[in-house]
Amino acid sequence: MMIKKCLFPAAGYGTRFLPATKAMPKEVMPIVDKPLIQYGVEEALDAGMYDIAMVTGRGKRALEDHFDVSYELEHQISGTDKEARLSSIRRLMEECTFSYTRQKEMLGLGHAILTGEPLIGREPFGVILADDLCDGEGDGVMSQLARVYAKYRCSVVAIEEVPEDEVSKYGVIAGSSIEDGLYMISDMVEKPAPEDAPSNLAIIGRYILTPDIFDILRETPPGKGGEIQITDALLLQARRNMVLAYKFKGTRFDCGSMEGFVAATNHYYQRSRSAEPA
Ligand code: UTP
């Protein structure tokens, strides 16, 4: 069974980018000429997930507008060579459906995912944090996770090796290797101090979740930082059933941080330059 739905938690305040994010959602900030969220939706669609569900919040209208028609603009540039610049977003608007719900209080990523339940229902779904921009090697990272899901039929998280002094920014796993680059999770700690980290394998912003995660999230008390953590819910799911961690192939840019945002901009700019006709 193909996974059709992909959830985008996008309610966060993006305080690390203030003042840029005062009136503009972090997810519409562009890397070269495309908003972060568009890269994420393209990755979902490439994995066959055309039913796009977004958890937004106050001040996030620009997200919805980006995936809607802009009559005046489109009329204005109709028939000119500028129209080609809209082809990528038009493809998404034609091939995807979009639905939105709002998270009223920022109670954490786990809470944001639970807020998306009415849009997802009882089926497995992808989760993309658009500020983790991933350039997959060969396939997109969500396509890579979907292949793992198709074989094992359980929740799968994407992981990456990070330097030891950076583990405290991530959820970190411990697990046993079951295939090359694939681990069965036995433990998981949210933002550990380096001396408490079970490994240097960090969870990044790509997940496939089975719908029982909603029931678990409902029971999950606030954890680190007083937020409802998806990491805590996944650990419970791993203990009750099985959760896999997959070391994805490709490069990830943490566009929620200034350094990652600039690195991604350089990466995609170089790519767009090399794609231009000489
Ligand atoms: P971040 O930890 O990057 O938080 O959230 P943030 O608020 O977006 O950014 P900073 O730290 O203030 O700069 C990770 C992801 O989870 C979503 C965010 O939108 C982001 O995609 N999120 C987080 C929610 O949707 N709701 C929450 O309550 C928390």
Side-chain angles (χ1 to χ4, degrees), residues 69-87 90:
V69 179
S70 170
Y71 282 109
E72 269 181 42
L73 168 74
E74 297 192 30
H75 176 73
Q76 186 79 27
I77 66 171
S78 168
T80 74
D81 53 3
K82 290 188 181 135
E83 222 178 346
R85 301 201 61 82
L86 289 179
S87 59
R90 280 186 174 160

Side-chain angles (χ1 to χ4, degrees), residues 9-17 26-27 55 60 103 105-109 111-112 129-131 191 227 256:
Y13 292 127
T15 51
R16 280 169 290 171
F17 275 90
K26 167 168 81 169
E27 297 78 9
V55 178
K60 299 270 187 175
Q103 187 186 17
E105 281 182 287
M106 300 317 129
L107 299 179
L109 177 57
H111 181 263
L129 306 186
D131 45 1
K191 300 192 172 65
E227 297 190 331

Side-chain angles (χ1 to χ4, degrees), residues 71-227:
Y71 282 109
E72 269 181 42
L73 168 74
E74 297 192 30
H75 176 73
Q76 186 79 27
I77 66 171
S78 168
T80 74
D81 53 3
K82 290 188 181 135
E83 222 178 346
R85 301 201 61 82
L86 289 179
S87 59
S88 64
I89 183 69
R90 280 186 174 160
R91 170 182 160 243
L92 299 183
M93 288 162 58
E94 272 163 27
E95 296 184 26
C96 299
T97 57
F98 296 88
S99 51
Y100 303 88
T101 190
R102 282 189 183 205
Q103 187 186 17
K104 293 185 200 76
E105 281 182 287
M106 300 317 129
L107 299 179
L109 177 57
H111 181 263
I113 291 174
L114 185 56
T115 303
E117 184 183 20
L119 304 180
I120 299 293
R122 300 306 293 184
E123 54 187 290
F125 59 103
V127 176
I128 291 184
L129 306 186
D131 45 1
D132 259 349
L133 178 53
C134 292
D135 189 9
E137 200 178 291
D139 277 329
V141 175
M142 193 48 85
S143 299
Q144 297 175 28
L145 293 189
R147 273 199 298 277
V148 176
Y149 175 80
K151 187 162 170 193
Y152 292 95
R153 305 283 163 144
C154 65
S155 291
V156 194
V157 303
I159 51 167
E160 153 176 291
E161 279 184 49
V162 297
E164 210 174 286
D165 58 348
E166 286 184 23
V167 287
S168 59
K169 293 200 275 185
Y170 299 93
V172 177
I173 69 138
S176 47
S177 173
I178 57 169
E179 269 185 44
D180 189 24
L182 191 63
Y183 301 82
M184 195 193 299
I185 292 178
S186 56
D187 198 9
M188 232 184 278
V189 191
E190 181 63 25
K191 300 192 172 65
E195 58 275 19
D196 300 328
S199 73
N200 67 338
L201 297 173
I203 303 174
I204 63 129
R206 299 291 182 279
Y207 310 73
I208 285 179
L209 301 174
T210 53
D212 53 311
I213 199 73
F214 294 127
D215 306 323
I216 300 175
L217 278 168
R218 256 188 290 280
E219 299 165 20
T220 304
K224 256 267 156 68
E227 297 190 331

